[in-house]
Amino acid sequence: MQVNSPDVQPFNELPEALVEELLDQCGSMGETLSHSFRSLFDNKGSIRSDLVENGLLRHDSDLLTNQSYPTTCGVDGAYTLERLLSTDMVAVAGVAVEGLTPPSETRHWEYPHHLCEVLPARHHDKTGLVSKAIMLMMELELASSAPHDVIFLDGSFTTPLINIQQALYTIDGVDNRLSEILLERVKTTMEAYETIVHSRRSDQQFVSVPKYTSHNQITKILLKEGVYEDRALLSFVLHAGEYIRPFPFKVPDGLWSFAEPLLKETGNLKAIIDGMSNLYVVYYRPYLHSPTFRLELPRSVATEKNRLSMVFEAIRLQCGTPGIFEPYPLYLADRMVKQMGKVIPAIRKATTQEMLQFWDQAEAEVYLLMHGYRTEIGR
């Protein structure tokens, strides 16, 4: 490791006075957080009592049936946008990775599956929004085509619908090819979305696992504890193997208010809305070394004992390693798509070399127009 690398000296390029002031403020921040954590720790017993009184606290031993060793898959995506002097370069990818399987099981996918697009796009402030929508479309398509028993999706079930609708609203003016890719995928994506949010097949469970959430249905409404969101609070409170019984998902206000663009592009939006209106949420902590997971589930999975049991078993099998705070196939998919940040600069350099083969002169202008000054990475 280089001594002067950012990992070793993160303050290397900051003014000394700024660094000192930032470090001076760590004391007050630590005191504030410590007081907040202490208050939460002291109230742990009363919070657990409230959960019991409200009939919310359960243990997976009451639910689990014989082990079935379900096969699993994790899906994640990323997009990279590099803004050049003359144009933008966009790379979008979705990756699906199979989880750990016992020795007796046959693997469905020996290698990760993926979808990708890379293309130039003219400058537009909504290019990133459209790129993210295409990324989410790829994730849904990969998830719906997976043959596994339990398919984990990164993020919330509502995220793709919100982003795709926003992209369709702002598509005017975005590069033609990028717009075409979005429109070409809408019908297939909505069919995949319907499959996922209804999860009608009893041998296949779709589960959305958001890492970062701000939902506080448990903490604010039921426990009158509004400082923390649900997942943070329940990671303090739940013991290994405990879960909060399934309860209806609160659909964000106005989620259906801008569905008109999708109505023009697909005929099954009503079925998707029906499925989204019947989603459930479960909080589950499989081990003490893991946090509590927020699991968003279709009604057909959340309300059927054997199917919910299979989801919990998959979570336990894929979260046995301390230090990995998400199901293992999601962790692998996440690690892979994080490498997208390295893709565009390399593609830009290779493209520039290809372009120079067609120029007898003006090489300096080519290098100048293909100069990259900012790379944005989204997931």
Side-chain angles (χ1 to χ4, degrees):
M1 182 182 296
Q2 294 181 359
V3 176
N4 292 324
S5 71
D7 292 334
V8 178
Q9 298 185 13
F11 302 125
N12 228 15
E13 298 183 14
L14 289 175
E16 184 177 348
L18 174 61
V19 174
E20 290 179 356
E21 186 169 345
L22 288 172
L23 293 176
D24 286 342
Q25 294 182 26
C26 290
S28 60
M29 184 168 62
E31 183 179 352
T32 301
L33 290 175
S34 179
H35 177 75
S36 177
F37 288 174
R38 170 56 64 181
S39 175
L40 182 60
F41 185 79
D42 291 341
N43 291 324
K44 181 176 179 180
S46 63
I47 294 173
R48 286 184 60 85
S49 297
D50 287 341
L51 289 172
V52 173
E53 289 177 7
N54 283 283
L56 293 172
L57 192 60
R58 298 282 192 276
H59 198 281
D60 60 13
S61 60
D62 301 327
L63 180 70
L64 298 177
T65 58
N66 294 331
Q67 286 193 319
S68 58
Y69 296 103
T71 57
T72 60
C73 172
V75 182
D76 204 350
Y79 68 91
T80 304
L81 170 62
E82 184 162 26
R83 301 191 183 278
L84 310 181
L85 183 64
S86 59
T87 185
D88 291 340
M89 295 193 73
V90 180
V92 187
V95 178
V97 184
E98 190 170 61
L100 299 170
T101 56
S104 59
E105 291 290 335
T106 301
R107 299 193 65 179
H108 291 300
W109 288 349
E110 291 291 332
Y111 303 99
H113 284 218
H114 69 273
L115 296 169
C116 67
E117 294 280 356
V118 58
L119 68 157
R122 65 174 175 267
H123 291 159
H124 195 280
D125 60 352
K126 300 301 181 183
T127 298
L129 178 62
V130 175
S131 300
K132 183 177 182 180
I134 294 171
M135 174 199 79
L136 292 166
M137 287 175 160
M138 291 177 175
E139 292 182 24
L140 293 173
E141 291 178 36
L142 287 167
S144 67
S145 64
H148 303 82
D149 300 320
V150 179
I151 296 96
F152 298 112
L153 293 96
D154 183 68
S156 173
F157 273 129
T158 60
T159 302
L161 188 62
I162 293 171
N163 281 270
I164 292 169
Q165 290 183 129
Q166 289 177 338
L168 288 170
Y169 261 118
T170 60
I171 201 170
D172 293 340
V174 176
D175 187 86
N176 289 340
R177 181 55 191 145
L178 200 64
S179 301
E180 289 171 2
I181 293 172
L182 180 73
L183 295 174
E184 287 168 1
R185 290 185 175 274
V186 168
K187 188 175 187 300
T188 302
T189 298
M190 291 300 106
E191 291 172 354
Y193 217 152
E194 181 181 354
T195 298
I196 290 168
V197 296
H198 284 281
S199 197
R200 295 185 178 96
R201 286 178 49 181
S202 60
D203 62 340
Q204 193 172 59
Q205 341 302 323
F206 293 96
V207 187
S208 193
V209 190
K211 297 186 187 74
Y212 179 89
T213 79
S214 58
H215 293 278
N216 56 1
Q217 287 174 268
I218 299 293
T219 59
K220 189 174 181 179
I221 299 174
L222 297 176
L223 302 179
K224 308 298 186 294
E225 183 75 37
V227 177
Y228 294 94
E229 48 81 25
D230 292 343
R231 188 178 179 221
L233 178 79
L234 295 172
S235 292
F236 255 98
V237 172
L238 295 188
H239 297 162
E242 291 183 336
Y243 69 98
I244 301 299
R245 66 169 172 80
F247 59 92
F249 177 87
K250 186 179 185 299
V251 177
D253 294 335
L255 181 61
W256 317 128
S257 63
F258 50 99
E260 184 180 352
L262 278 178
L263 285 170
K264 295 178 181 179
E265 302 296 338
T266 179
N268 63 337
L269 183 59
K270 184 181 184 301
I272 294 172
I273 291 176
D274 288 343
M276 297 283 284
S277 301
N278 287 286
L279 293 175
Y280 277 72
V281 175
V282 177
Y283 287 99
Y284 177 50
R285 188 177 189 182
Y287 303 105
L288 285 178
H289 66 249
S290 70
T292 295
F293 294 101
R294 176 184 171 91
L295 309 176
E296 297 179 7
L297 305 166
R299 176 186 175 88
S300 58
V301 177
T303 59
E304 211 285 308
K305 179 178 178 179
N306 290 332
R307 299 184 72 176
L308 184 58
S309 173
M310 183 178 291
V311 170
F312 284 177
E313 184 181 358
I315 291 285
R316 290 199 322 278
L317 290 173
Q318 301 302 321
C319 295
T321 303
I324 297 179
F325 289 169
E326 59 185 325
Y328 189 64
L330 275 182
Y331 169 77
L332 287 180
D334 179 74
R335 287 291 301 269
M336 291 178 183
V337 296
K338 279 181 177 176
Q339 303 305 309
M340 284 289 289
K342 302 175 182 177
V343 169
I344 283 287
I347 290 176
R348 172 172 55 84
K349 292 176 182 178
T351 303
T352 302
Q353 293 298 321
E354 289 291 328
M355 292 171 63
L356 290 173
Q357 296 183 29
F358 303 99
W359 290 76
D360 296 329
Q361 299 175 343
E363 289 90 347
E365 283 79 359
V366 172
Y367 277 113
L368 180 63
L369 292 174
M370 292 296 288
H371 174 67
Y373 60 90
R374 187 172 69 192
T375 300
E376 299 175 6
I377 303 171
R379 296 176 37 251

